[in-house]
Amino acid sequence: DALGQLTGGVAHDSNNLLTVITGNLEMLEEELEGQAALKYVREAQEAAAMGARLNQRLLTFSRRRKLEAQVV
Protein backbone atom coordinates (compact mmCIF):
# COMPACT_ATOMS: atom_id res chain seq x y z
CA ASP A 1 0.00 0.00 0.00
CA ALA A 2 2.81 2.42 0.90
CA LEU A 3 4.61 1.68 -2.36
CA GLY A 4 1.41 2.39 -4.29
CA GLN A 5 0.95 5.70 -2.48
CA LEU A 6 4.56 6.70 -3.14
CA THR A 7 4.28 5.72 -6.80
CA GLY A 8 1.06 7.69 -7.21
CA GLY A 9 2.57 10.77 -5.58
CA VAL A 10 5.66 10.67 -7.76
CA ALA A 11 3.57 10.20 -10.91
CA HIS A 12 1.31 13.11 -9.93
CA ASP A 13 4.24 15.47 -9.27
CA SER A 14 5.94 14.35 -12.46
CA ASN A 15 2.77 15.04 -14.46
CA ASN A 16 2.75 18.59 -13.05
CA LEU A 17 6.31 19.13 -14.30
CA LEU A 18 5.55 17.61 -17.70
CA THR A 19 2.59 19.96 -18.10
CA VAL A 20 4.84 22.99 -17.68
CA ILE A 21 7.51 21.55 -19.99
CA THR A 22 4.98 20.64 -22.68
CA GLY A 23 3.31 24.04 -22.53
CA ASN A 24 6.61 25.86 -22.92
CA LEU A 25 7.65 23.60 -25.79
CA GLU A 26 4.39 24.39 -27.60
CA MET A 27 5.04 28.12 -27.26
CA LEU A 28 8.65 27.68 -28.41
CA GLU A 29 7.47 25.64 -31.38
CA GLU A 30 5.38 28.60 -32.56
CA GLU A 31 8.39 30.93 -32.24
CA LEU A 32 10.71 28.61 -34.17
CA GLU A 33 8.37 27.80 -37.07
CA GLY A 34 10.47 27.07 -40.14
CA GLN A 35 13.84 27.08 -38.32
CA ALA A 36 16.26 24.18 -38.13
CA ALA A 37 16.17 24.20 -34.31
CA LEU A 38 12.52 23.15 -34.43
CA LYS A 39 13.61 19.50 -34.68
CA TYR A 40 15.00 19.71 -31.14
CA VAL A 41 11.71 21.03 -29.84
CA ARG A 42 9.86 18.16 -31.49
CA GLU A 43 12.28 15.62 -30.01
CA ALA A 44 11.74 17.13 -26.57
CA GLN A 45 7.96 16.97 -27.11
CA GLU A 46 8.21 13.27 -27.94
CA ALA A 47 10.28 12.66 -24.80
CA ALA A 48 7.66 14.50 -22.73
CA ALA A 49 4.94 12.34 -24.28
CA MET A 50 6.94 9.23 -23.37
CA GLY A 51 7.18 10.53 -19.80
CA ALA A 52 3.41 11.04 -19.72
CA ARG A 53 2.86 7.45 -20.86
CA LEU A 54 5.20 6.23 -18.13
CA ASN A 55 3.22 8.22 -15.57
CA GLN A 56 0.01 6.59 -16.78
CA ARG A 57 1.54 3.18 -16.10
CA LEU A 58 2.72 4.31 -12.66
CA LEU A 59 -0.76 5.59 -11.81
CA THR A 60 -2.23 2.28 -12.93
CA PHE A 61 0.24 0.49 -10.66
CA SER A 62 -0.69 2.69 -7.71
CA ARG A 63 -4.36 1.93 -8.43
CA ARG A 64 -5.22 5.62 -8.66
CA ARG A 65 -6.20 5.09 -12.26
CA LYS A 66 -8.69 2.57 -13.58
CA LEU A 67 -7.00 -0.38 -15.25
CA GLU A 68 -7.83 -0.50 -18.97
CA ALA A 69 -7.11 -3.98 -20.30
CA GLN A 70 -6.10 -4.32 -23.95
CA VAL A 71 -5.81 -7.30 -26.23
CA VAL A 72 -2.25 -7.61 -27.55
Side-chain angles (χ1 to χ4, degrees):
D1 189 44
L3 183 58
Q5 287 181 356
L6 175 65
T7 303
V10 168
H12 177 74
D13 290 345
S14 179
N15 272 334
N16 290 342
L17 295 171
L18 284 171
T19 299
V20 173
I21 292 167
T22 302
N24 282 294
L25 286 170
E26 287 174 3
M27 290 188 295
L28 187 58
E29 183 178 32
E30 291 176 11
E31 295 290 323
L32 293 177
E33 194 62 42
Q35 296 185 33
L38 188 58
K39 75 176 189 170
Y40 299 114
V41 171
R42 295 208 170 119
E43 288 176 8
Q45 287 172 322
E46 179 57 32
M50 290 170 60
R53 288 190 296 272
L54 173 61
N55 283 339
Q56 289 173 350
R57 290 190 295 256
L58 290 171
L59 287 171
T60 299
F61 172 78
S62 71
R63 303 195 197 290
R64 288 188 175 195
R65 188 167 172 260
K66 184 179 173 185
L67 181 62
E68 297 174 14
Q70 296 178 356
V71 177
V72 291

